[in-house]
Amino acid sequence: MRFFTLPSEHSGAICAVADREEALGYWVDKPLLSQPDEVVPMTVATWSGTLAQDADAFAPDVRNWSVAARSELHDKLDRLGAIAEQRGVMGRLLLRPHARHILSDWNSCARFMAQRETSGDTRTALLVDPASMLTKQMLTRSAEHLERTFEQVGQMLRGETGNASHIGGVVLCNLRKPAGGEVDPLGYDEGDRLVPCGLDDSGGVLDVGHLVKLARAHLVTGTPVVFTGGSGQGEGQASLLA
């Protein structure tokens, strides 16, 4: 595996932990649907996006589960692809899923990427984030959910179910609960979101040992693994997988 870290600020380079290779790309901490129709000659990673009109890009919105939402994301990618082809720009676009966004779980990611492949899109890939696809309601069975996601990611990386090139990297992080707030007994994910944090963060609610075990078992050699926390925070997390 190859190790990188997301920037500690809102946007910036996804730098290699050991500085022995170039950055994986440039992280833009703004959902794709909120960004202008512009392309750059480098790999860009960003959240898939949301239809929520709230100033909070992670406000829950049931419309994100709709066919219309996925169609809007497809249309956005089609426009960006046309611009990239016109300008001869070869940079990739990595979409990071989130439980409250249009790409919210592995099934939606896999189906969406199959549709992109059918449309001839070779530029778009996933920056898979298994932890960020969890909601507060899912934490009680997080081990089971994570096992299923990592297994399916591994199958795609090995070319058993889909195209391995659909995965441009895997975010390996823990989660912190927001201060206060109760889980909705009806199962609707509302209120403040779970916050990604470093594997070794003392406030993390996921089993670090289990996350490491899943990564070792299912991520193939050469998989770009992306940690959170910014430059200087990757070495300790990478050592957990040594």
Side-chain angles (χ1 to χ4, degrees):
M1 288 177 277
R2 300 151 56 206
F3 301 124
F4 302 84
T5 53
L6 286 162
S8 57
E9 300 297 329
H10 293 300
S11 300
I14 307 174
C15 295
V17 168
D19 293 327
R20 288 195 293 265
E21 59 182 307
E22 295 181 355
L24 182 64
Y26 191 87
W27 170 252
V28 178
D29 193 20
K30 185 178 182 181
L32 183 64
L33 292 182
S34 301
Q35 298 177 31
D37 289 354
E38 187 57 77
V39 296
V40 293
M42 67 176 69
T43 296
V44 173
T46 188
W47 299 107
S48 66
T50 175
L51 297 185
Q53 299 300 314
D54 195 290
D56 177 7
F58 295 91
D61 193 319
V62 296
R63 295 178 300 167
N64 289 333
W65 306 335
S66 68
V67 173
R70 292 190 294 275
S71 294
E72 188 163 339
L73 183 55
H74 279 300
D75 290 345
K76 177 76 170 183
L77 293 171
D78 289 343
R79 293 196 303 272
L80 293 176
I83 295 171
E85 183 176 0
Q86 181 182 24
R87 298 181 182 177
V89 174
M90 302 303 294
R92 300 183 81 195
L93 178 61
L94 307 183
L95 298 179
R96 183 181 177 186
H98 188 276
R100 292 183 174 181
H101 284 170
I102 296 171
L103 299 185
S104 57
D105 58 19
W106 177 251
N107 289 332
S108 65
C109 288
R111 287 196 304 270
F112 190 84
M113 290 309 304
Q115 292 167 341
R116 295 312 301 167
E117 183 174 30
T118 299
S119 72
D121 181 0
T122 59
R123 182 171 177 264
T124 305
L126 298 169
L127 181 59
V128 185
D129 188 343
S132 287
M133 291 190 278
L134 297 174
T135 66
K136 288 176 284 189
Q137 290 81 2
M138 297 166 70
L139 288 179
T140 56
R141 300 179 64 183
S142 61
E144 178 183 337
H145 291 298
L146 289 169
E147 285 170 7
R148 186 180 301 113
T149 299
F150 271 97
E151 180 180 8
Q152 293 169 323
V153 169
Q155 289 173 351
M156 182 173 284
L157 285 170
R158 294 189 297 272
E160 298 171 7
T161 56
N163 194 326
S165 67
H166 289 171
I167 299 178
V170 177
V171 177
L172 195 58
C173 67
N174 210 321
L175 297 170
R176 288 197 306 265
K177 282 186 177 181
E182 299 294 333
V183 173
D184 179 4
L186 298 179
Y188 182 57
D189 181 29
E190 60 182 2
D192 293 336
R193 65 177 174 125
L194 297 168
V195 180
C197 63
L199 282 177
D200 50 0
D201 191 301
S202 60
V205 297
L206 301 179
D207 184 336
V208 178
H210 189 235
L211 282 167
V212 169
K213 179 181 178 181
L214 292 173
R216 287 173 175 166
H218 298 292
L219 303 187
V220 303
T221 301
T223 301
V225 173
V226 182
F227 303 115
T228 64
S231 179
Q233 299 301 309
E235 291 86 348
Q237 297 179 72
S239 68
L240 297 174
L241 281 84

